[in-house]
């Protein structure tokens, strides 16, 4: 069947035509180019569309690049010139889906930072954002922000185990002049205290009402028990103490029954 798109029409091959489809009906499809660069439609759903960042598995290597599985019969090519590092079949990589303006071909790139938007004027400090983990280094964790920008969480601002390709929520801590963003898992300032207090109460309930952690405990011990910094822990404990929900003991904190 041919699908009308304005003055153009796109072929929908028979193997993708749903039973009962008639002339005049509407159908959602994905349009890309076939092996001869002709536009073609499919009812298969790709892992992403142009400008999306997606976590894909590498399939086959060719002299000019590597093919990624993105859910369609025609694999997504990441040309050699678009590879950040050497890629191997069977491994997963964060890929941005792009389109060549001249040929209209869809391709992938693993040069993530270079293909993120540096114009951050629509962002503000304290804003909650969606993150996709790109890489993990000795300094911190880099991530794609809101499917558009690029930022980093320093290790002392990260209080849960994350892996490449993971998605999570985060907050903007700082916006630098070069367009890079400093991120955190915690909302900046005292606005994060209520959430942290909830975490402490939950952990206390799970542990029978007492945990041997207090203001003299090491940052590592507090992070291991509550997944937060020592500064955040002390703020939250102070908040709970004022509300008479916990008591401070010589070797830890306990729930007030």
């Amino acid at each position: 069947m041919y699908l009308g798109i304005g003055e153009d029409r796109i072929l929908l091959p028979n193997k993708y035509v749903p039973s009962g489809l008639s002339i005049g009906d509407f159908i959602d499809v994905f349009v890309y180019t076939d092996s001869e660069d002709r536009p073609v439609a499919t009812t298969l759903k790709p892992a992403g569309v142009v400008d999306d960042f997606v976590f894909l598995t590498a399939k086959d290597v060719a002299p000019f690049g590597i093919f990624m599985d993105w859910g369609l019969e025609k694999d997504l090519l990441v040309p050699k010139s678009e590879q950040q590092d050497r890629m191997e079949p069977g491994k997963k990589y964060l890929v941005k889906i792009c389109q060549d303006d001249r040929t209209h071909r869809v391709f992938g790139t693993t040069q993530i930072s270079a293909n993120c938007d540096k114009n951050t004027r629509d962002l503000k400090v304290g804003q909650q954002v969606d993150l996709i983990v790109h890489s993990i280094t000795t300094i911190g964790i880099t991530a794609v922000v809101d499917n558009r920008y690029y930022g980093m969480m320093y290790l002392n601002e990260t209080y849960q185990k994350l892996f490449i390709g993971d998605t999570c929520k985060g907050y903007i801590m700082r916006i630098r002049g070069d367009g890079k963003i400093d991120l955190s898992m915690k909302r900046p300032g005292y606005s994060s205290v209520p959430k942290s207090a909830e975490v402490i109460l939950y952990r206390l309930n799970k542990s029978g009402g007492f945990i041997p952690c207090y203001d003299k405990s090491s940052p590592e011990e507090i992070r291991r028990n509550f997944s937060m910094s020592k500064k955040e822990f002390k703020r939250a404990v102070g908040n709970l103490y004022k509300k008479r929900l916990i008591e401070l003991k010589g070797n830890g904190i306990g729930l007030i029954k």
Side-chain angles (χ1 to χ4, degrees):
M1 284 189 166
Y2 283 99
L3 309 179
I5 305 177
E7 296 180 356
D8 298 323
R9 64 178 193 168
I10 305 294
L11 177 67
L12 178 66
N14 280 329
K15 58 185 173 182
Y16 301 130
V17 176
S19 60
L21 188 67
S22 302
I23 292 175
D25 289 348
F26 287 88
I27 183 173
D28 290 323
V29 296
F30 178 72
V31 178
Y32 63 122
T33 55
D34 63 14
S35 56
E36 297 181 19
D37 289 336
R38 298 171 301 189
V40 63
T42 177
T43 51
L44 296 176
K45 189 175 181 179
V49 298
V50 171
D51 290 334
D52 280 350
F53 293 86
V54 289
F55 202 46
L56 303 178
T57 302
K59 288 179 65 177
D60 301 307
V61 178
F64 46 83
I66 194 164
F67 291 98
M68 314 296 291
D69 180 5
W70 66 322
L72 303 182
E73 287 188 12
K74 182 184 177 184
D75 296 326
L76 181 70
L77 175 68
V78 177
K80 270 194 171 180
S81 59
E82 293 292 339
Q83 295 178 23
Q84 182 71 43
D85 299 299
R86 183 174 177 271
M87 301 172 69
E88 299 177 17
K91 291 189 176 182
K92 286 193 168 186
Y93 300 90
L94 187 62
V95 176
K96 183 180 182 181
I97 302 174
C98 305
Q99 184 179 32
D100 188 295
D101 293 332
R102 183 177 59 85
T103 64
H104 303 296
R105 291 179 182 173
V106 177
F107 66 94
T109 180
T110 56
Q111 297 176 3
I112 303 300
S113 176
N115 283 279
C116 285
D117 194 345
K118 304 297 187 297
N119 184 351
T120 56
R121 63 184 178 188
D122 293 332
L123 299 176
K124 59 183 179 180
V125 173
Q127 178 179 336
Q128 187 181 60
V129 289
D130 293 313
L131 306 177
I132 307 174
V133 176
H134 173 221
S135 66
I136 301 174
T137 70
T138 55
I139 300 174
I141 298 172
T142 62
V144 175
V145 180
D146 278 351
N147 203 52
R148 180 174 175 181
Y149 309 100
Y150 198 73
M152 171 177 278
M153 288 182 286
Y154 294 95
L155 292 181
N156 61 355
E157 297 288 349
T158 309
Y159 305 108
Q160 69 184 68
K161 192 72 172 175
L162 293 172
F163 300 91
I164 295 173
D166 282 354
T167 58
C168 61
K169 298 287 185 182
Y171 296 92
I172 296 176
M173 297 290 289
R174 285 170 292 275
I175 301 174
R176 302 183 182 274
D178 58 2
K180 293 181 180 178
I181 303 165
D182 289 346
L183 302 163
S184 174
M185 301 295 289
K186 302 283 189 181
R187 190 187 296 273
Y190 281 90
S191 57
S192 65
V193 170
K195 183 67 176 177
S196 297
E198 289 178 18
V199 171
I200 291 173
L201 288 176
Y202 173 78
R203 298 283 171 85
L204 281 169
N205 276 294
K206 292 285 285 185
S207 63
F210 176 79
I211 293 180
C213 264
Y214 62 120
D215 60 352
K216 302 297 184 185
S217 298
S218 68
E220 293 75 19
E221 188 177 359
I222 291 171
R223 178 174 176 175
R224 185 172 61 252
N225 280 283
F226 297 103
S227 298
M228 65 184 69
S229 68
K230 185 169 182 176
K231 183 178 180 181
E232 184 80 4
F233 172 76
K234 291 172 72 173
R235 284 178 178 175
V237 165
N239 180 270
L240 291 170
Y241 182 73
K242 286 178 183 178
K243 293 180 178 180
R244 299 184 179 180
L245 294 173
I246 64 170
E247 57 183 337
L248 307 180
K249 300 187 177 183
N251 60 341
I253 57 174
L255 284 174
I256 293 179
K257 302 278 179 138

